[in-house]
Amino acid sequence: MPVRKPNFEPPFNIVRASHVEFGVRDLARARAFYVDCLGLIPSDDDNEALYLRGVEERNHHSIVLRRSRVPEIRALGFKLASEEDLDRAATWFTRHNLPTSFPDVPFQGRTLRTADVFGMPLDFYYRMDQSESLLQKYAAYKGARIQRIDHINCFTPDVQASYDFYSELGFRLTEYTETDDRDPQLWAVWMHRKGNVHDLAFTNGNGPRLHHIGLWTASALDILHICDVMATSGYVTNMERGPGRHGISNAFFLYIRDPDSHRIELFTSDYLTVDPDLQPIRWSLRDPQRQTLWGQPAPKSWFEEGSAFAGVPLAEPALAAQPIVAR
Ligand SMILES: [Fe+2]
C-alpha cells in the first residue's frame, strides 16, 4: 500500500518550509528580476548575497541569492517549533547515519545542516532575525505583490522512498498522483506541515533536484498583473507555463524561470488541510486535469528541467511511467 497513515507524533516539530538559498551567476541580473520585476523586498545585501522577503513575512528572508560560479541550490530551509526540537532533530539525523553540522548562518540562530536519504540539503533552525511587517504598508506592494513563501517542490528518483522519509518526519499527505497499474506506484506527492496543501512536494524524475519554489500572492489578479509586466519588460521568454488553475491543489498559478533558469511558481487559492482525518485526494497519472484543471498539458521542460543541489549526484528515476506532455 503506497499511502500511509499520517504520523502525528514525529521525532521533532517542523513548523513550515521557510526559505531557499539559490546560487546565481550574476547578482545584479538576479536583483533586476527578483526585486525590480517581481517586487520582492530586499532585507540585506552585500557583494556576495542578496536576502529577500515578501510583504507579510516577519522572518528576515525567504530567498537568499548567493553569488555562484554555476546555478545551483545550496539549502532548503525549514523552521522548527523550538530550540529543543533542533536538538531532537540532530539526534534523529545522527541516529539515521545522515550528516549533521551546526554552521554559522547569517541572520539565523543555531542552524542544523543535514541531508535526506538522497542528499537533499536541509537546514533546520528555530530563530531568525525579525523584520518590520509591511503587510499594511501598501506602498511597498510592487510587481507580483508577493506575500510569502509557500512551498518547495523537488524531483526525486524514488517518490515512494521520499514520501516514506518525510512521512516519518510528520509531513502529511494531501494529494497524490499514481499509476493505474494493478499494483499502483506513486508518481508525485504533496505534503504539508503548516495546514494548506503543501510545504513540500515530490515528482518522479532525475534527482534529487529542486523543481521550483512556490511564492504566495493574495489573489489571481496579482498573477495576471505580473504576466502583463513580464511580457512588456523584457521577460516574456521567462514565462514557462500558465497562468492557469491546477487540478491538484486547486491553486491558480504561473511558472517563471529566473535568469539562471531556477523555477519560481506564483501561487494562490489552495485550501485548508488542518483536519487530522483529512483524506488525501488521488489523481491518475493519465488525467490531464490534474496538471491544469482547464485541460492544457504542461510543456516538456516542466517535466525535465530543474536546479541541481550543490555537490549532490543525480540518480535516474525508479519509475519509467510518463505523464501527458505538450508538444
Ligand atoms: Fe508548486
Side-chain angles (χ1 to χ4, degrees):
M1 187 60 189
V3 171
R4 302 151 58 114
K5 285 201 170 124
N7 177 12
F8 290 106
E9 293 182 353
F12 53 97
N13 188 355
I14 300 170
V15 174
R16 65 181 177 89
S18 150
H19 60 279
V20 172
E21 183 168 323
F22 291 107
V24 299
R25 289 166 298 180
D26 183 332
L27 270 177
R29 203 167 53 144
R31 174 188 270 269
F33 180 80
Y34 283 96
V35 177
D36 301 341
C37 179
L38 296 188
L40 284 160
I41 315 285
S43 291
D44 267 289
D45 67 342
D46 56 33
N47 286 335
E48 294 303 314
L50 174 59
Y51 295 83
L52 302 172
R53 70 184 198 275
V55 289
E56 76 166 73
E57 288 181 308
R58 309 292 296 276
N59 254 7
H60 179 271
H61 57 264
S62 51
I63 294 177
V64 182
L65 304 173
R66 189 167 297 283
R67 188 190 301 282
S68 172
R69 194 174 50 78
V70 292
E72 60 189 13
I73 307 301
R74 305 287 182 83
L76 306 177
F78 293 87
K79 189 182 271 287
L80 300 188
S82 69
E83 291 289 345
E84 293 71 28
D85 282 301
L86 205 44
D87 295 320
R88 284 190 275 269
T91 302
W92 190 90
F93 278 90
T94 302
R95 198 180 327 123
H96 287 77
N97 295 317
L98 292 164
T100 56
S101 62
F102 282 90
D104 287 333
V105 178
F107 310 109
Q108 273 173 225
R110 219 157 49 101
T111 301
L112 168 64
R113 180 154 292 171
T114 180
D116 76 4
V117 279
F118 293 109
M120 240 171 58
L122 306 172
D123 275 9
F124 293 107
Y125 74 100
Y126 165 58
R127 274 184 302 108
M128 186 184 282
D129 287 3
Q130 296 294 290
S131 304
E132 178 199 8
S133 171
L134 297 174
L135 185 64
Q136 292 179 325
K137 307 271 192 223
Y138 283 99
Y141 287 52
K142 302 273 168 57
R145 304 159 194 147
I146 291 161
Q147 304 267 128
R148 61 179 181 270
I149 190 168
D150 184 77
H151 60 265
I152 295 168
N153 187 313
C154 298
F155 283 118
T156 173
D158 187 335
V159 173
Q160 184 72 53
S162 293
Y163 167 64
D164 291 344
F165 182 88
Y166 288 93
S167 287
E168 193 172 342
L169 298 187
F171 285 84
R172 285 146 60 183
L173 188 70
T174 56
E175 305 204 22
Y176 61 104
T177 301
E178 63 178 13
T179 62
D180 295 324
D181 305 331
R182 184 189 294 263
D183 181 17
Q185 307 287 308
L186 280 180
W187 196 86
V189 291
W190 286 257
M191 310 176 80
H192 82 96
R193 287 294 300 167
K194 69 181 174 301
N196 69 343
V197 170
H198 57 322
D199 288 282
L200 188 57
F202 290 100
T203 300
N204 181 65
N206 209 334
R209 286 178 299 163
L210 180 72
H211 188 277
H212 67 267
I213 62 165
L215 303 177
W216 176 267
T217 68
S219 85
L221 292 179
D222 298 316
I223 294 177
L224 294 176
H225 175 66
I226 201 65
C227 290
D228 286 333
V229 171
M230 291 181 72
T232 54
S233 55
Y235 290 112
V236 71
T237 58
N238 296 66
M239 296 160 71
E240 182 184 32
R241 179 184 168 199
R245 185 174 300 280
H246 285 306
I248 291 167
S249 81
N250 189 54
F252 196 86
F253 70 88
L254 171 72
Y255 291 96
I256 56 181
R257 308 294 289 271
D258 83 358
D260 288 277
S261 286
H262 299 309
R263 186 183 287 107
I264 303 290
E265 179 185 24
L266 302 173
F267 176 96
T268 189
S269 302
D270 64 341
Y271 59 91
L272 192 71
T273 60
V274 288
D275 283 0
D277 57 350
L278 182 95
Q279 293 298 305
I281 298 170
R282 177 198 183 270
W283 294 83
S284 162
L285 183 59
R286 303 307 303 169
D287 183 351
Q289 285 194 281
R290 70 181 190 88
Q291 298 177 7
T292 311
L293 192 65
W294 307 334
Q296 302 94 328
K300 203 157 176 277
S301 62
W302 199 84
F303 289 105
E304 295 183 349
E305 296 175 10
S307 300
F309 295 113
V312 179
L314 294 181
E316 291 291 322
L319 198 55
Q322 285 301 316
I324 300 163
V325 173
R327 304 219 173 267

